[in-house]
Amino acid sequence: MEDVKIGVYICHCGLNIAGTVDCSAVAKYAGSLPSVVVSRDYRYMCSDPGQDLIKNDITRLGINRVVVASCSPRMHELTFRNACQEGGLNPYLYEQANIREQCSWVHDDKKVATEKAKDIVRAAVKRVYFHEALEVKEAPVNPNVLVVGGGIAGIQAALDIANGGKKVYLVEREASIGGHMIQFDRTFPTLDCSECILTPKMADVGHHPFIELLAYSEVEEVSGSIGQFKVKVNKKARHIDESKCVGCGVCEQKCPWKVPSEFEMGLGKRGVIYIPFAQAIPNLATVDAEHCVYIQSDGKKCGACIKFCEAEAVTPETLLNQSDQIVELEVGSIIVTTGYDQFDPSVISQYGYGKYDNVLTGLQFERMTCAAGPTGGKIVLNSGKEPESVAIVHCVGSRDQNYHEYCSRVCCMYGLKYAHLIKELANAEVYEFYIDMRCFGEGYEEFYKRLSEEGVNFIRGKVAKVTDRAISDEEKGKLMVVTEDTLLGKMIRVPVDMVILCAALEARSDADKVASLFTLNRRADGFFLERHVKLDPVATPTDGVFIAGCCEGPKDIPDTVAQASAAAAKALSLISKGTITLESAIANVDETKCLGCGRCEEICTFHAPKVVSKNGVMVSSINETLCKGCGACAVVCPTGAMSIRHFTQEEIAAQVGALTELS
Amino acid sequence: MEILSPYKEATDVILEAGGEPLRLCYQCGICTGSCPWNLVRSFIVRRIIHEAQLGATDFESEELWLCATCRACVQSCPRGVEIIDVMRALRKVVTELGVAKVPDALRLSVKNISGTRNPMGEEQEKRADWAKGLNVKPFTEGTELLYFPGCYPSYEARDKGIALATVSILKKAGMDFGILGVKESCCGELVRKSGNEAVFQSLVESNIRVFTETHVKRILVSSPHCYNTFKNEYPDFGGNFEVIHSTQLLLELIKEQKIELTKELNRRVVYSDPCYLGRHNGIYDEPREVLKSIPGLELIEMPDSREEAVCCGGGGGRIWMETKKGERFSDLRLKQAIELGAEVLAVACPVCMCMYKDSQLSVDKGEAIEVKDITELVQEAM
């Protein structure tokens, strides 16, 4: 071993560490350890002057190992490794001692904490002695991008990347892209028609030379890592000839079997062969095989669509013999934009959803006011009549620890939007039942003022009950909304014809499956975890996988689009750089000891080791672009041939041994 | 003119008395909306919490004594505020610091409990008189099951049938059980909710001592109030016992075929979930399954059932207080049962039984319906 010269730096981290640990005492102690040539303490090591201390000591004192005792390596290991590199020292000759999260933040007693900090620093010093310079390798980044989910977030991200000249695969599980936004009628606060602003983007996606749209498809498997993911996508069978179908819709008209339309939120029906809505992209029919009588009877019954399709896109062949197809994609980064589900308010029995007629959810009301929707854009009761009065109930399933503790962010605004539409289309009396009015965005507060001018009645109170039990003649045939008007301090019963429940936005029911496919974490509220809630909202702890839109948490369209573009920028940045730095602390085979038994290959979840023939001998060989350095292979290796660089026996033994030393 | 200013000292006193949950309240008002009082008068629960938050509580108000602790508010509360604990804290402040008068009727009942261990003021020596001639053995170490009827089935004429039916069923099932009789004290549940923590703790101490001395393991109760306090409150004082309510035991006995229901009871029956079985302890199905096991019995669900059941108005010490006619929830509930054409209103709580039997006297056609405990119905079917 060359002459080892260790520099130790004890960070105060303001008062975070120095408030509980006597940093100068720890620095003095570190200075007394073998091979330590300089030991300093400083306020903020991660700052420029702090980093300069390290760089100067490398140049002037020739130190060739660095220990910084500070926060968790998860915070600043990279910062200090870079500082070493800039100072001319290999970044792997650096060791971080965590005396913050593991010491000053968890102890009160200054004496005890200082002694513990000394122990931690001693362990780091003993370990860093055995660190070796490791080569920093790079691998190329596949410039293709996978976007999962074709709602507004996915559409925006795909367009941003494609417009940057890079190839995007956009995978969408429904028969058409558009997500929830295409179900909306108007968007707040401008009252733009949602379809009108979205369909041009959808059309762009459909035509874009750089976007390969895989609709009616789902991701089945993801392997690899940043820069080189391999993805298996299941292209579900539509049971039509996609090259011939022109999307004329005659097949759906002629289909004698109707089922509830998921797109119409149960308010309307669709054919078993169907196009989900008029502006579907791709504009292709799809056969719902589960309900198709022809398919289920093996070709013996029905077949109406076959008869009427002039393009001959539906044939017995396509119906009976078409099967799902697996497509394999290779991409460098992935953007997950899978969106949200609407909370089902039938669990709140007091609100009567599913029990009483004319109690609707937000998404159902959207379909009702849509001109192309199941009621032709008319606000109607089950009876067919127009309502004379409508109640809009806020916070259904949101801000409620019995369901979802979080606020769904958009409901106050869409509640106001519905009030406006009701006034415009039905001229009915509108009652908004709210706890707080959350109008935080651009034009939102002004929109609230506008609705006050339009004569909407605002009643502050969380609705206790919706009931059809009349206690007077005026109430007969109506639904009564019962609540305390907290501003009046009185109980109030408001008879209305229709109740709209502003149901919460919640994580998709299959979020667990998506999370495990893309190695995402879920937060306590069910949505996907971002890397840092404030400073990195579209990245995730998994390198190369980004999230955007409502799958990251409830948000309105402007925020969704902003996040989608942010994720696209992150992907493009990766592609622009062209390479990624590989983890250097990875597995390493001593071929003289390796038996070629294959246990490492068996245990590795990243498929990095492979037993191959080298010079006629079977030995394990590590694919350095896949290895994550997790250490599982080293544990199972029977001969000790496998070790993990930067975590060798020597290094770990020195660290552990130092901790058991009496100081 | 005096303008209100926050009076933190009052808030601190309330917090210290157990009112900490009030901090969480964001004043949405669903508590007021869910409270059964608002079916008969105005009772703004939310305002009481906010007044307490600012130290502006009117301790002399009769409103502090209205809460029947039915838990409808707590159940709906989106912030999880334990409103009943806040009410209890307010009552505790009045009781212990004397900042206002405790209602007379309540004061008397608590005084009785303190003296003779039952709210009626009857002699403690007469606590086991209901069992005279029934050959019920005293509970001793080694007896499997302690039957704890509670004050009402022991002393109250309207509720005696409950104890008698229970004992009859236990004997027919061949259960090894005993009673503690005069050694029992009131379980204390209602006393605690009415704000008298000192009397409650003395009752707890006394009962735990007796149970421990006689090595009680499993307690059968007739009252969901006893059930609630033995199960959820006594452990805080070192009293850990297995508690089972009569409807739960009945279902066990039926399923294990230790009792057989052979006589038909061809009646239209409705069941009103007691607050302390339902909302407080989540027991909704067992009583219904027991009723459905009775041959010939037609069980009709009441409107407002299970989690939405309407309180009888007796909890929280209110059974001891006078409620104006026209403001009694038990009247409303009885009327609901009558309107459904029910012949029997089945209950699973001696407090409910008392309240509904009282209502029978003032509600139109009240005598046309029978109020029966589930144990009584099961006994009739055996």
Side-chain angles (χ1 to χ4, degrees), chain A residues 267 345-346 348-361 364 368 380-383 393 463-470 475 477-482 493-494 496-501, chain B residues 302-305 308 336:
Chain A
L267 291 184
S346 38
I348 308 180
S349 55
Q350 291 91 327
Y351 290 166
Y353 182 74
K355 188 165 117 192
Y356 300 128
D357 286 341
N358 304 311
V359 178
L360 311 170
T361 61
Q364 285 181 316
M368 199 177 256
V380 283
L381 305 172
N382 269 31
S383 60
V393 180
V463 170
K465 198 196 266 246
V466 173
T467 177
D468 67 350
R469 272 184 266 160
E475 292 192 355
K478 301 261 185 195
L479 288 171
M480 271 56 68
V481 178
V482 182
R493 279 173 76 96
V494 182
V496 295
D497 294 316
M498 178 189 269
V499 176
I500 303 171
L501 302 174
Chain B
M302 295 187 85
D304 309 314
S305 72
E308 291 176 62
Q336 272 186 343

Side-chain angles (χ1 to χ4, degrees), chain A residues 340-344 395-398 404 406 408 411 414 502-506:
Chain A
Y340 67 90
D341 272 345
Q342 184 178 243
F343 170 75
D344 179 359
C395 301
V396 176
S398 305
H404 296 297
Y406 55 82
S408 290
C411 320
Y414 75 62
C502 295
L505 274 60
E506 58 183 24

Side-chain angles (χ1 to χ4, degrees), chain A residues 440-481:
Chain A
F440 54 90
E442 205 186 302
Y444 290 7
E445 186 64 31
E446 294 86 336
F447 190 64
Y448 177 22
K449 181 175 174 190
R450 175 179 175 177
L451 266 303
S452 304
E453 285 167 355
E454 289 182 12
V456 170
N457 302 293
F458 288 93
I459 298 178
R460 187 191 181 275
K462 185 171 164 76
V463 170
K465 198 196 266 246
V466 173
T467 177
D468 67 350
R469 272 184 266 160
I471 58 173
S472 70
D473 281 332
E474 292 86 53
E475 292 192 355
K476 290 213 173 93
K478 301 261 185 195
L479 288 171
M480 271 56 68
V481 178

Side-chain angles (χ1 to χ4, degrees), chain B residues 282-335:
Chain B
I283 298 171
Y284 298 103
D285 294 318
E286 290 92 317
R288 287 173 169 80
E289 283 183 53
V290 171
L291 287 169
K292 285 193 215 160
S293 307
I294 296 175
L297 189 146
E298 189 192 344
L299 178 62
I300 310 161
E301 268 311 319
M302 295 187 85
D304 309 314
S305 72
R306 301 176 75 100
E307 290 88 350
E308 291 176 62
V310 180
C311 175
C312 71
R318 286 210 59 84
I319 189 173
W320 304 321
M321 303 196 273
E322 181 58 41
T323 309
K324 279 185 263 196
K325 193 166 193 299
E327 288 189 4
R328 299 174 193 160
F329 329 144
S330 49
D331 286 3
L332 290 179
R333 200 59 165 156
L334 194 68
K335 280 191 209 149

Side-chain angles (χ1 to χ4, degrees), chain A residues 349-351 398-402 435 460-465 469 482-491, chain B residues 26-34 38 42 44-47 74-80 303-304 308 336:
Chain A
S349 55
Q350 291 91 327
Y351 290 166
S398 305
R399 299 186 69 191
D400 191 333
Q401 67 159 46
N402 298 308
I435 308 174
R460 187 191 181 275
K462 185 171 164 76
V463 170
K465 198 196 266 246
R469 272 184 266 160
V482 182
T483 183
E484 182 199 346
D485 180 329
T486 64
L487 297 176
L488 285 181
K490 289 193 178 153
M491 284 294 296
Chain B
Y26 67 30
Q27 292 287 296
C28 72
I30 203 172
C31 48
T32 309
S34 315
N38 290 298
S42 171
I44 311 300
V45 182
R46 173 202 52 85
R47 182 166 42 218
V74 179
Q75 187 174 250
S76 308
C77 178
R79 272 280 177 91
D304 309 314
E308 291 176 62
Q336 272 186 343

